[in-house]
Amino acid sequence: MRVHKLTFAALAVAATLSLSACNDGDDSAGDSPSPESTASSSSGGSGSGGSDQEGGKDSGGKDSAGQSSGGQGAATGGGSDTGAKVGKCRTDELDITATDSTVDGDTEGTVAVTFKNGSGKDCALTGFAGVDLKTSEGDLSATRSGQSSPMTLKDGDEVSFGVTYPVNDSGGSGVSVSAIVVTPPGETKSFSMEWPGAATLPVTEGGGTPVKVGPMGSAGQGGAN
């Protein structure tokens, strides 16, 4: 009996050692990654990080939508340039002339005043020109007639507007006119020329002015765009 007990004890110890050795081998194998998995993990981590960094370099300021801030800046600058306002037409940069354009049979006389842009750049005309006549009875200011619209007068182009007045068919001497004084829209400097229309205007009773100034493009072909 003693011999059998020793044999069983030895077998039990051997079995325990065998199981322990097997378990140790499994744990070791589970803790240590395979060469393939190590390489794959290392490559994937480096690639992901590199992708983020490279994306940052390549984007060079891209926002969350992927739009380039540099491109947006260039577009804004271009829009600013194209949206630049055209300056108003200056008196000193306009060639201003006045001609009689009355047609036989008209009930009113008409003088066409022409602005020719000689500034070397486009300019803007907004509103009516100011018109005053120098008469034997003093200065006579024209009143506005019609509807005006803003316009751009290109360099070298011209535009004309009409100054209308009643014809003196009363048989009397009337009011003599010597000059016309024109002030471009928005300007304070005037330009004076010899009056090319009828020599006299009829005397107006009850005050007021019989002379009217039309909007840009209301006489002749002009250069309105």
Side-chain angles (χ1 to χ4, degrees):
M1 292 294 294
R2 182 177 181 81
V3 173
H4 288 295
K5 287 181 179 180
L6 288 174
T7 300
F8 289 146
L11 290 173
V13 169
T16 301
L17 290 174
S18 176
L19 289 172
S20 175
C22 290
N23 289 335
D24 288 343
D26 291 343
D27 291 342
S28 175
D31 292 340
S32 299
S34 66
E36 290 83 4
S37 64
T38 302
S40 175
S41 174
S42 173
S43 174
S46 174
S48 176
S51 175
D52 291 342
Q53 292 175 359
E54 289 300 317
K57 290 179 182 178
D58 292 343
S59 63
K62 287 184 178 179
D63 59 19
S64 60
Q67 298 298 321
S68 172
S69 60
Q72 289 176 347
T76 301
S80 176
D81 291 339
T82 56
K85 290 185 177 179
V86 177
K88 67 180 178 181
C89 298
R90 300 285 184 176
T91 304
D92 291 337
E93 297 174 336
L94 293 173
D95 181 15
I96 305 175
T97 56
T99 58
D100 182 15
S101 61
T102 304
V103 177
D104 291 340
D106 284 353
T107 58
E108 290 184 315
T110 303
V111 166
V113 177
T114 302
F115 289 162
K116 183 174 182 179
N117 183 5
S119 65
K121 58 183 182 297
D122 296 351
C123 63
L125 291 169
T126 304
F128 290 80
V131 173
D132 295 284
L133 302 186
K134 296 289 185 180
T135 77
S136 56
E137 301 296 326
D139 291 349
L140 183 62
S141 296
T143 58
R144 298 172 179 178
S145 176
Q147 197 77 24
S148 70
S149 298
M151 63 164 290
T152 297
L153 186 61
K154 296 184 179 299
D155 180 40
D157 281 357
E158 60 184 37
V159 64
S160 301
F161 60 91
V163 178
T164 59
Y165 60 92
V167 176
N168 183 16
D169 55 6
S170 63
S173 59
V175 177
S176 61
V177 184
S178 59
I180 178 173
V181 181
V182 178
T183 308
E187 278 283 80
T188 57
K189 186 173 183 179
S190 302
F191 185 78
S192 180
M193 301 166 284
E194 182 178 352
W195 172 247
T200 63
L201 302 178
V203 176
T204 303
E205 299 181 359
T209 175
V211 182
K212 298 179 181 179
V213 55
M216 296 296 159
S218 60
Q221 295 300 315
N225 296 306

